[in-house]
Amino acid sequence: MKTENWKRTHYTMEITPNMDGEEVVLTGWIKEIRDLGGIKFLILRDKEGTLQITVPKDEVDEHTLKHAESLQRQDCVSIRGVVKRMDKAPRGVEIIPKNMIILNMAKQPLPLDITGKTPADIDVRLDARVLDLTRDENRAVFQIRHAILEAIRDFLSKNGFIEIHTPKIIASATEGGANLFPVMYFEREAFLAQSPQLYKEQLVIDFEKVYEIGPTFRAEKSHTRRHLTEFISVDIEVAFATAEDVMEIAERLIQYICKMVVEKRRGDLKTLKYKVEVPEVPFKRLTYDEVVNELKDAGIKISWGEDIPTIAYRTLGRLHPYFYFIIDWPTSIKPFYIKPRDDKPEISEGFDLMWHWIEIASGGTRIHDKDLLIKRLREQNLNPESFRFHLQAFDYGMPPHAGWAIGLERLVMMLTGVRNIREAVLFPRDRFRLTP
Ligand code: ATP
């Protein structure tokens, strides 16, 4: 087989001053160009980092000079050159090119300033997202996202969970019809799954401890900085467990994720100028009643049984500026599958995990008794007939069980400091955005 003459021998970050004199081939994109008359500096970017390519105009051959002169930002190149120790260069080393191959020229002018010196509006950035992601700050978000996913899989796997994938095209609603996207499924109507809830619950009969990391779809009309119409949900479900058991898993997992990100992605956090503190466990547990009282003292009145509005969460976030659980929610405002307390059925065993004012996760003990589940479906004006396949699993020895769902993008916001959830997704989908 022919070896292409543009193939790299090293990544930029592998080049060190003690390689002085070695000939190397680097491939990547032109990030910046500085022309000082007799000398030209090119900053080459690859997936690992950047390196200075120095072109002393009277020392390189005519062909190389011609190429160097024609280069523009984001052109894709292969550069053969000699490593030179240079104290003044960014990493104490530079490359003097001997030959350059332009693999592809970028169309100028670019729609964005890829150095970030001229900030662009979020919509302009998202319209040219692939170009936007060439910026270090933006790629750092996804390196951290990757580290979060790695930490989640590692933690859950070590704790005896099996990774599952449940269908995303479904016949009926998980939690009622609101927020569902209908799709044409041949001659029938189907829906995009808004949660793996029912499937993961059923599967505890077979696997006991399951987790899924997968897309979920919500026809959210609200256009906020923390809602998407397609997001990744990290779900767990555990047999023979209660809310308290899975809250412990959640807090230990969050602690582990923070630890891994701090350890493994130090450079990316620095690029983002963001500090992550590894939290202590256990996290605070506030009851719904305590929250309502705290809010009352802060001048926000919430009648018992009402959901907590965003503005109240903002106040709560100021009072509890890190992680905390809210427990003992009124049963009436939790989904039908959340178990009411045996001693006080008006209070549920559901919980939310908060980070400042943002909800990161919600979960709880589930109902495992079929009759009670049917009663709760009816109370929430849902038709048990639409849940026939789910309900039949409760005839097969459904154990007591509990679980939660964490929104991956909200975790990414928490660990990168990005303030708009759209920055935590490569190609976000919201009420108005369906492209690119
Ligand atoms: P919120 O009250 O913030 O709208 P929710 O109560 O609808 O959230 P759940 O249905 O409990 O959320 O979903 C579990 C988790 O999934 C949430 O805690 C959150 O982290 C995430 N999540 C929910 N809806 C969205 C969304 N539209 N976009 C991104 N993440 C979401």
Side-chain angles (χ1 to χ4, degrees):
M1 233 192 295
K2 181 176 163 241
T3 313
E4 301 287 355
N5 60 351
W6 48 258
K7 286 260 168 137
R8 66 157 63 95
T9 56
H10 296 77
Y11 283 106
T12 50
M13 297 308 274
E14 291 170 337
I15 307 293
T16 56
N18 58 17
M19 289 166 69
D20 189 67
E22 253 182 67
E23 188 173 292
V24 295
V25 181
L26 303 173
T27 53
W29 296 264
I30 301 297
K31 183 177 170 182
E32 275 193 77
I33 304 166
R34 263 185 303 135
D35 201 328
L36 303 185
I39 195 161
K40 197 172 179 108
F41 298 107
L42 306 170
I43 303 297
L44 182 78
R45 172 186 75 80
D46 62 17
K47 86 178 182 74
E48 306 286 306
T50 56
L51 193 65
Q52 178 171 300
I53 313 292
T54 304
V55 190
K57 294 187 183 169
D58 50 4
E59 284 175 40
V60 297
D61 68 57
E62 206 177 312
H63 186 71
T64 306
L65 185 61
K66 206 171 127 229
H67 269 130
E69 291 290 3
S70 73
L71 285 176
Q72 306 232 46
R73 276 183 191 158
Q74 201 51 26
D75 285 347
C76 180
V77 292
S78 167
I79 298 174
R80 179 182 298 277
V82 177
V83 179
K84 191 173 162 199
R85 182 194 300 272
M86 170 52 69
D87 294 340
K88 278 188 259 165
R91 286 194 0 251
V93 66
E94 62 184 11
I95 301 288
I96 310 294
K98 282 172 84 174
N99 187 29
M100 280 191 199
I101 303 172
I102 302 180
L103 296 166
N104 223 330
M105 281 168 74
K107 187 171 168 228
Q108 306 291 336
L110 298 171
L112 290 172
D113 173 7
I114 58 171
T115 66
K117 282 176 195 143
T118 322
D121 181 71
I122 181 90
D123 278 317
V124 175
R125 290 177 44 202
L126 292 176
D127 280 344
R129 187 59 159 157
V130 169
L131 189 63
D132 181 51
L133 289 167
T134 62
R135 285 194 55 209
D136 296 343
E137 292 84 342
N138 301 342
R139 278 199 328 286
V141 171
F142 292 91
Q143 294 290 358
I144 291 173
R145 183 176 159 124
H146 175 70
I148 295 172
L149 284 167
E150 219 174 28
I152 294 172
R153 289 203 162 94
D154 184 38
F155 180 92
L156 292 175
S157 206
K158 277 188 190 143
N159 280 278
F161 284 79
I162 182 172
E163 183 164 3
I164 57 166
H165 288 106
T166 62
K168 302 305 156 208
I169 306 175
I170 54 166
S172 64
T174 311
E175 299 179 29
N179 293 347
L180 275 180
F181 283 115
V183 287
M184 280 306 299
Y185 194 71
F186 305 103
E187 47 290 311
R188 282 187 288 168
E189 186 182 55
F191 302 94
L192 294 179
Q194 80 203 124
S195 152
Q197 183 66 32
L198 307 187
Y199 290 103
K200 67 171 177 169
E201 281 194 54
Q202 294 169 30
L203 288 166
V204 298
I205 294 178
D206 310 296
F207 301 104
E208 293 200 29
K209 290 173 126 184
V210 297
Y211 78 97
E212 174 160 10
I213 303 176
T216 43
F217 305 89
R218 306 254 172 115
E220 299 270 4
K221 287 219 170 106
S222 52
H223 197 68
T224 77
R225 284 197 281 117
R226 62 187 199 292
H227 288 98
L228 295 161
T229 49
E230 177 177 349
F231 66 94
I232 300 295
S233 180
V234 179
D235 274 83
I236 73 159
E237 203 62 36
V238 187
F240 309 107
T242 61
E244 184 52 40
D245 297 324
V246 292
M247 282 159 71
E248 272 171 42
I249 296 176
E251 61 197 0
R252 283 199 295 121
L253 173 63
I254 296 281
Q255 186 187 48
Y256 185 71
I257 295 170
C258 293
K259 199 163 150 260
M260 286 300 114
V261 167
V262 167
E263 259 174 51
K264 291 190 180 171
R265 306 298 339 163
R266 198 177 298 272
D268 292 310
L269 289 171
K270 206 168 147 210
T271 301
L272 289 164
K273 301 187 182 71
Y274 190 65
K275 249 187 104 172
V276 169
E277 249 175 69
V278 180
E280 299 273 334
V281 295
F283 297 163
K284 259 189 280 189
R285 281 133 170 88
L286 306 172
T287 64
Y288 172 86
D289 286 3
E290 281 167 343
V291 166
V292 168
N293 281 333
E294 278 187 351
L295 289 170
K296 196 168 121 206
D297 292 343
I300 300 175
K301 196 172 167 311
I302 292 170
S303 318
W304 200 90
E306 236 181 83
D307 214 340
I308 299 171
T310 304
I311 172 142
Y313 275 124
R314 289 202 178 259
T315 303
L316 207 58
R318 280 192 287 275
L319 296 171
H320 305 284
Y322 216 34
F323 295 104
Y324 55 98
F325 286 106
I326 305 178
I327 58 170
D328 291 353
W329 286 85
T331 303
S332 56
I333 49 172
K334 280 287 165 191
F336 70 87
Y337 47 80
I338 294 285
K339 183 174 175 287
R341 258 170 57 174
D342 291 330
D343 57 339
K344 264 191 192 170
E346 67 279 14
I347 294 178
S348 74
E349 292 188 29
F351 63 85
D352 283 359
L353 170 59
M354 306 296 299
W355 173 72
H356 297 266
W357 63 279
I358 294 183
E359 182 193 314
I360 293 287
S362 67
T365 313
R366 322 301 192 183
I367 294 172
H368 68 285
D369 176 80
K370 188 176 176 181
D371 293 336
L372 179 56
L373 194 59
I374 293 174
K375 180 171 167 267
R376 288 290 297 135
L377 278 167
R378 292 217 171 92
E379 278 170 9
Q380 299 220 350
N381 295 321
L382 295 166
N383 181 2
E385 190 45 35
S386 325
F387 294 82
R388 190 156 48 95
F389 285 107
H390 180 54
L391 290 170
Q392 83 182 7
F394 289 72
D395 294 332
Y396 307 150
M398 180 61 83
H401 59 287
W404 45 247
I406 300 184
L408 176 66
E409 288 76 13
R410 297 213 183 151
L411 272 186
V412 174
M413 290 173 83
M414 173 189 116
L415 284 148
T416 58
V418 299
R419 297 168 69 89
N420 188 331
I421 198 164
R422 289 161 189 76
E423 301 221 33
V425 194
L426 292 171
F427 298 102
R429 293 288 178 262
D430 63 31
R431 173 105 160 85
F432 304 106
R433 183 172 285 280
L434 204 47
T435 52

